[in-house]
Amino acid sequence: MVNEEQLLASLFEDEMGPEKMDLYVVTMYLQKKQITVDYPGITHYVYTHYDDVKMDDDDNRNTNEASLFWQANLDQMKKTISGLEDQVDEAKKYEALKEVPDKIKNHIKLALEQYKTFFDEINQVREEAKNTTAKLEKATQDLSDAQEKLEGTQNQFISILGIFLR
């Protein structure tokens, strides 16, 4: 039995040849009554492996060879699906199947942008918290210095007062 979660991960992690892609398409789509894309599974994978999922036009992030497998695999999926036209029993099902690679690609782009936006907001909040903490530490030190100065002044006042009272 093939695990769908492992198959989804292999879309990102393995360079799929025609045989493995045939298995992927049959297991993930053709064996089911309805052709649906596993959007939650894709989102979960992208969020948990953000640094390893890269768009080929994203020059600002580190990349490794495996980070672009999913794009090549979607191209392979299109080839595999185009070869299945005669084997899919319903034209409607075949049309839905043809849309799957583009839907997956668009969803991956969306998940990457969502994560990036969320991560940028978290970093911004962390930076603000760091700045506020630094300001608070400085204010605490200033208050401590003022307290020491006040105590010194108070001690001097008491000494002067003591001289006058004698």
Side-chain angles (χ1 to χ4, degrees), residues 49-95:
H49 299 88
Y50 178 76
D51 291 332
D52 297 325
V53 180
K54 181 182 183 311
M55 297 292 298
D56 55 6
D57 58 352
D58 189 358
D59 296 327
N60 298 329
R61 294 191 29 227
N62 293 333
T63 183
N64 59 43
E65 200 173 297
S67 66
L68 299 174
F69 281 159
W70 69 269
Q71 292 175 94
N73 288 338
L74 290 179
D75 290 339
Q76 180 62 44
M77 185 185 293
K78 286 179 182 180
K79 292 176 190 171
T80 298
I81 290 170
S82 68
L84 293 173
E85 186 172 9
D86 297 335
Q87 297 173 13
V88 178
D89 50 352
E90 299 174 36
K92 190 174 169 183
K93 191 172 186 177
Y94 178 72
E95 289 303 315

Side-chain angles (χ1 to χ4, degrees), residues 1-147:
M1 184 90 194
V2 178
N3 181 337
E4 287 185 13
E5 191 173 309
Q6 289 174 330
L7 264 180
L8 182 63
S10 69
L11 180 69
F12 293 92
E13 298 169 1
D14 301 329
E15 193 168 11
M16 294 181 170
E19 298 81 23
K20 191 162 185 177
M21 186 53 70
D22 285 345
L23 174 68
Y24 184 90
V25 170
V26 168
T27 304
M28 297 295 280
Y29 305 109
L30 293 180
Q31 286 183 349
K32 298 178 181 177
K33 291 184 189 237
Q34 236 181 333
I35 306 243
T36 57
V37 176
D38 181 12
Y39 294 118
I42 292 169
T43 301
H44 181 266
Y45 186 91
V46 170
Y47 283 6
T48 55
H49 299 88
Y50 178 76
D51 291 332
D52 297 325
V53 180
K54 181 182 183 311
M55 297 292 298
D56 55 6
D57 58 352
D58 189 358
D59 296 327
N60 298 329
R61 294 191 29 227
N62 293 333
T63 183
N64 59 43
E65 200 173 297
S67 66
L68 299 174
F69 281 159
W70 69 269
Q71 292 175 94
N73 288 338
L74 290 179
D75 290 339
Q76 180 62 44
M77 185 185 293
K78 286 179 182 180
K79 292 176 190 171
T80 298
I81 290 170
S82 68
L84 293 173
E85 186 172 9
D86 297 335
Q87 297 173 13
V88 178
D89 50 352
E90 299 174 36
K92 190 174 169 183
K93 191 172 186 177
Y94 178 72
E95 289 303 315
L97 187 60
K98 280 185 1 183
E99 295 174 4
V100 167
D102 291 332
K103 285 182 177 182
I104 291 173
K105 183 175 185 173
N106 290 334
H107 190 72
I108 291 170
K109 285 181 181 181
L110 176 66
L112 286 168
E113 282 301 313
Q114 287 172 335
Y115 185 91
K116 180 181 172 201
T117 300
F118 182 67
F119 188 69
D120 286 346
E121 287 180 21
I122 287 175
N123 281 341
Q124 186 178 7
V125 168
R126 282 185 183 155
E127 191 62 34
E128 288 175 15
K130 195 165 127 180
N131 292 340
T132 303
T133 302
K135 288 177 185 176
L136 182 60
E137 287 172 354
K138 184 177 179 345
T140 302
Q141 184 61 43
D142 291 347
L143 182 60
S144 178
D145 292 346
Q147 178 104 21

